[in-house]
Amino acid sequence: MRLLDALTSLKRAFRRGDYLYRSGEPFRSLFAIRTGFFKTQVLHEDGREQVTGFQMPGEIIGLDAISSDAYTCDAVALEDSEICEIPFDRLEALSRELPTLQRHLHKIMSREIVRDHGIMMLLGSMRAEERLAVFLLNLSQRLSARGYSPNAFHLRMTRQEIGSYLGLKLETVSRTLSQFQELGLLSVKVREVEIMDMLRLRSFVGAA
Amino acid sequence: MRLLDALTSLKRAFRRGDYLYRSGEPFRSLFAIRTGFFKTQVLHEDGREQVTGFQMPGEIIGLDAISSDAYTCDAVALEDSEICEIPFDRLEALSRELPTLQRHLHKIMSREIVRDHGIMMLLGSMRAEERLAVFLLNLSQRLSARGYSPNAFHLRMTRQEIGSYLGLKLETVSRTLSQFQELGLLSVKVREVEIMDMLRLRSFVGAA
DNA sequence: CGTGGGGTTGACTCAAGTCAATTTGGGTGG
DNA sequence: CCACCCAAATTGACTTGAGTCAACCCCACG
């Protein structure tokens, strides 16, 4: 796996607000996030934007670009971040030599597809409170998998961005968070969230 | 490419309503549709279902299963169909030998991700008429790419299934189709659609 | 030739969107 | 270091697009 290290040796730093790539740019590399936080978004010609995901350390972005040799969305740093660039042709070459790596790459791509299906379910058939609950629980779970507290965390994105991701307007996001607070499920102070009653928050999901 | 033929030599036939696979079943193969029409859907524990796609000849299904070695959705034939089974370990082995095949596989997976992002945009920020217009135009385009008329076609799915896919209720799908008909954009007679004014239908998309 | 699933349509409801006023807080320059 | 400014967030009042519920039609199939 020293080969793999060689592959990921290109590191780059980004400031908050920087674009890692923009839609339309030629595809050459995938990126692994080392530290920080990103969002990816697709822009519709009429100006509407859809946030397609929030990525944290250990996650890979750029997979959408393989299909057309150009990035199909924008990736923007939501805080100062560091990424590893992975030249895709080298990754392909190496994965021909290492079946384990090959399988790993396929799983990563497949996982992205499964994740997207989950969001389609969320956007297609959940009410606002459910969407928010799913979103918060997912963040909590991913942060906790990285050694952070599952109960208290800092939101790195605006209400607007959360809304775009969840198919809601920012006012609805704000109201729903306030409502959760009133119910004693959590406390929100702008970007700081503390989940007080994880079980009850979970029970929100899938409840009519 | 004779190797590839060997890979896809397992053919199977399905009757309308048959399951190609079900969520949870162990993953062994991808499937290429030769003839017919399928839908894929994910089921939420509470019974809600989300149709994640409608697939036609030449398209590959089962990519979601790679990530967890089990199918994560159901695939159901919407009409009598014939598929090729592609054992995934053989496909991986072969794609280690054939860089072109490897690249092709990666593009197919990436294309699925891009498609899903498009649907997220649709579900997250389009109104009912736009969703229907996008859906019909997409069907039209794919059918036309397969040599069928882009203007007149048979819907192989129910209003319910269209609604699930588009995040709408069946009544809304029905009403919106009627409305398009009133406007002279198309004629619908239950499952038979004829697009009369493709341009105006297109102009619906992205219009406030 | 009945029967039931799929489709259409209407009347009414309601969740989320819109618009607007106000507060909060982080970042920048004097 | 503080004051100011502006973007982000909150909250309220009102509107609306889509959902719900219900009646009815139609035709395909047994």
Side-chain angles (χ1 to χ4, degrees), chain A residues 100-115:
Chain A
T100 319
L101 176 61
Q102 180 194 34
R103 173 54 63 104
H104 192 62
L105 173 59
H106 293 159
K107 290 212 174 197
I108 285 172
M109 298 190 76
S110 176
R111 194 170 309 130
E112 178 67 17
I113 292 168
V114 173
R115 189 188 73 85

Side-chain angles (χ1 to χ4, degrees), chain B residues 74-203:
Chain B
D74 301 334
V76 187
L78 294 179
E79 63 180 26
D80 295 356
S81 303
E82 207 190 9
I83 60 89
C84 286
E85 181 167 350
I86 307 171
F88 189 63
D89 51 4
R90 307 237 323 262
L91 177 60
E92 279 191 326
L94 201 54
S95 83
R96 269 178 253 131
E97 307 303 317
L98 301 171
T100 319
L101 176 62
Q102 181 193 33
R103 173 55 62 103
H104 192 63
L105 173 59
H106 292 158
K107 290 211 173 197
I108 285 172
M109 297 190 76
S110 176
R111 193 169 310 131
E112 178 68 17
I113 293 170
V114 173
R115 189 189 72 87
D116 291 347
H117 288 174
I119 298 169
M120 286 168 60
M121 164 117 257
L122 178 145
L123 292 172
S125 63
M126 292 188 181
R127 38 184 27 312
E129 304 108 68
E130 279 186 276
R131 297 186 198 190
L132 242 308
V134 168
F135 170 71
L136 293 169
L137 291 167
N138 174 266
L139 269 190
S140 161
Q141 179 263 310
R142 285 155 71 204
L143 287 167
S144 126
R146 282 164 183 76
Y148 299 99
S149 164
N151 299 310
F153 47 87
H154 179 80
L155 297 173
R156 258 136 304 199
M157 67 295 280
T158 66
R159 301 290 188 262
Q160 159 85 273
E161 287 161 340
I162 297 172
S164 168
Y165 182 60
L166 298 178
L168 301 171
K169 293 292 158 181
L170 72 284
E171 294 94 330
T172 305
V173 173
S174 180
R175 274 188 246 275
T176 307
L177 285 174
S178 302
Q179 182 193 330
F180 281 172
Q181 185 163 241
E182 305 245 310
L183 291 169
L185 300 179
L186 44 80
S187 96
V188 220
K189 193 144 172 241
V190 194
R191 301 274 183 118
E192 298 305 321
V193 175
E194 188 182 350
I195 299 178
M196 325 284 281
D197 192 341
M198 189 75 80
L199 288 176
R200 209 138 62 87
L201 192 59
R202 280 216 192 86
S203 75

Side-chain angles (χ1 to χ4, degrees), chain A residues 7 25 33 55 70 106 115 128 136 148 166 193 207:
Chain A
L7 198 63
E25 286 177 10
I33 301 177
Q55 295 82 17
H106 293 159
R115 189 188 73 85
L136 292 169
Y148 299 100
L166 299 177
V193 174

Side-chain angles (χ1 to χ4, degrees), chain A residues 10-135:
Chain A
L10 284 124
K11 298 190 181 43
R12 278 158 63 197
F14 288 83
R15 309 294 306 275
R16 177 145 74 96
D18 287 350
Y19 280 71
L20 172 50
Y21 54 77
R22 294 183 126 93
S23 181
E25 286 177 10
F27 171 62
R28 223 156 281 123
S29 301
L30 300 178
F31 300 95
I33 301 177
R34 285 174 65 82
T35 63
F37 216 88
F38 283 81
K39 69 167 173 177
T40 48
Q41 59 187 8
V42 305
L43 297 164
H44 206 231
E45 49 269 27
D46 60 10
R48 274 180 295 191
E49 68 178 47
Q50 173 76 31
V51 172
T52 54
F54 297 108
Q55 295 82 17
M56 50 179 79
E59 297 176 335
I60 303 289
I61 44 188
L63 297 171
D64 56 279
I66 301 167
S67 70
S68 57
D69 295 312
Y71 297 99
T72 65
C73 61
D74 301 334
V76 186
L78 293 179
E79 61 179 29
D80 295 355
S81 303
E82 206 188 11
I83 60 89
C84 287
E85 181 168 350
I86 308 171
F88 189 62
D89 50 5
R90 308 234 326 260
L91 176 60
E92 279 191 325
L94 201 54
S95 84
R96 269 179 253 131
E97 307 304 316
L98 301 170
T100 319
L101 176 61
Q102 180 194 34
R103 173 54 63 104
H104 192 62
L105 173 59
H106 293 159
K107 290 212 174 197
I108 285 172
M109 298 190 76
S110 176
R111 194 170 309 130
E112 178 67 17
I113 292 168
V114 173
R115 189 188 73 85
D116 291 346
H117 288 175
I119 297 169
M120 286 168 60
M121 164 118 257
L122 177 145
L123 293 171
S125 63
M126 293 187 179
R127 36 186 18 322
E129 303 106 68
E130 278 186 275
R131 297 186 197 192
L132 242 310
V134 168
F135 171 72

Side-chain angles (χ1 to χ4, degrees), chain A residues 153-155 159 181 186-194:
Chain A
F153 47 88
H154 178 81
L155 297 173
R159 301 289 188 263
Q181 185 163 241
L186 46 78
S187 95
V188 220
K189 194 143 172 244
V190 194
R191 303 276 183 116
E192 298 304 322
V193 174
E194 189 181 351

